[in-house]
């Protein structure tokens, strides 16, 4: 049942410190084996998708950066897919002629954008400007995995930690079902997030976990890359 759901969702399933799994060739995935003790979910286009009134993904981030910069910030042709929020903010500022700011000024601008983002997102969700919906099969999959002995579910996402309850809650997913998370607010480099998640797991649960016992589920090549 679960392998079929995973394949249907089109997610990238990779075991840390191994080659990414080809879902068309891997056959049944035994999710009750010791190698799947910690499952780390990406959020955007894996658990949920955006369905904003504007039709443009990334609306809250653009609005927060515009607010912090005090001038319109345009996305242009930039893709946010697979990137952390800090990485997106830096690329947006550079693309809009603000990449040459002094380090202190840049750090201050980024900090103001990050501070504004959760409130901007929450306000937009409340007034209907920003909308998030679950992808098909996710509720059933999260429930089944939550009932499996020895399986711990967490998040590995480029979103800021403070934004995740807002975004997931808007899509009807309880952020509290995830025992831990590694977020864009932990590191701008997505490749740093798996070690951060492992350290959090060991700190929270008081037991070691091997990299081969961790699974990353996401939708972009960057998700697979951070897991290898």
């Amino acid at each position: 049942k679960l392998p079929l759901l995973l394949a249907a969702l089109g997610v990238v399933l990779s075991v840390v410190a191994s080659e990414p799994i080809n879902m068309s060739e891997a056959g049944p995935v035994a999710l009750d084996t010791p190698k799947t003790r910690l499952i780390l979910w990406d959020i955007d286009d894996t658990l949920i998708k955006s369905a904003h009134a504007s039709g443009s993904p990334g609306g809250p981030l653009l609005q927060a950066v515009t607010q912090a910069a005090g001038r319109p910030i345009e996305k242009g042709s930039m893709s946010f897919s697979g990137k952390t929020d800090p990485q997106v903010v830096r690329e947006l500022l550079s693309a809009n002629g603000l990449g040459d700011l002094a380090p202190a000024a840049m750090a201050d601008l980024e900090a103001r954008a990050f501070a504004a983002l959760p409130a901007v997102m929450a306000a937009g969700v409340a007034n209907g400007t920003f909308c998030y919906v679950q992808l098909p099969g996710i509720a059933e999959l999260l429930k089944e995995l939550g009932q499996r002995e020895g399986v711990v579910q967490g998040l590995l996402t480029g979103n800021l930690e403070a934004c995740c309850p807002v975004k997931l809650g808007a899509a009807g997913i309880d952020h509290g079902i995830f025992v831990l998370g590694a977020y864009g607010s932990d590191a701008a480099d997505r490749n740093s997030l798996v070690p951060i998640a492992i350290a959090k797991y060991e700190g929270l649960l008081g037991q070691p976990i091997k990299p081969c016992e961790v699974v990353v589920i996401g939708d972009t090549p960057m998700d697979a890359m951070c897991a290898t």
Side-chain angles (χ1 to χ4, degrees):
K1 178 180 177 182
L2 292 179
L4 291 176
L5 279 171
L6 287 169
L9 287 169
V11 298
V12 177
L13 178 63
S14 299
V15 178
V16 178
S18 70
E19 292 298 318
I21 295 174
N22 184 330
M23 292 303 298
S24 65
E25 299 176 357
V29 180
L31 289 181
D32 54 355
T33 67
K35 288 189 176 181
T36 58
R37 287 172 54 196
L38 175 58
I39 297 179
L40 297 171
W41 290 93
D42 174 49
I43 292 180
D44 297 289
D45 294 320
T46 299
L47 293 175
I48 67 174
K49 67 177 181 179
S50 60
H52 303 325
S54 66
S56 176
L61 195 51
L62 285 173
Q63 187 172 320
V65 178
T66 293
Q67 180 177 313
R71 49 165 280 192
I73 297 295
E74 302 294 335
K75 177 184 177 184
S77 60
M78 182 189 304
S79 172
F80 293 0
S81 181
K83 299 175 182 177
T84 65
D85 283 356
Q87 180 183 357
V88 170
V89 167
R90 288 165 194 172
E91 291 183 8
L92 280 172
L93 293 175
S94 179
N96 284 268
L98 296 171
D100 294 331
L101 291 175
M106 178 66 78
D108 178 68
L109 181 51
E110 291 175 354
R112 285 187 279 118
F114 299 149
L117 183 55
V120 166
M121 184 179 291
V125 167
N127 66 29
T129 301
F130 305 136
C131 178
Y132 302 95
V133 296
Q134 281 185 49
L135 288 173
I138 285 299
E140 296 85 353
L141 184 53
L142 291 174
K143 180 179 179 181
E144 171 123 5
L145 289 172
Q147 295 172 344
R148 293 211 169 202
E149 184 178 358
V151 172
V152 173
Q153 296 190 86
L155 295 170
L156 190 147
T157 173
N159 286 278
L160 302 184
E161 182 174 3
C163 292
C164 293
V166 179
K167 185 175 281 191
L168 290 171
I173 298 175
D174 179 10
H175 179 257
I177 69 174
F178 302 102
V179 174
L180 59 91
Y183 306 94
S185 42
D186 290 318
D189 180 4
R190 195 180 196 95
N191 292 337
S192 299
L193 295 183
V194 171
I196 288 172
I198 289 174
K200 289 186 177 183
Y201 175 97
E202 294 178 342
L204 284 170
L205 300 183
Q207 60 187 42
I209 186 168
K210 298 176 182 177
C212 63
E213 296 172 326
V214 181
V215 172
V216 174
I217 303 177
D219 65 293
T220 74
M222 281 77 94
D223 295 294
M225 186 179 299
C226 82
T228 54

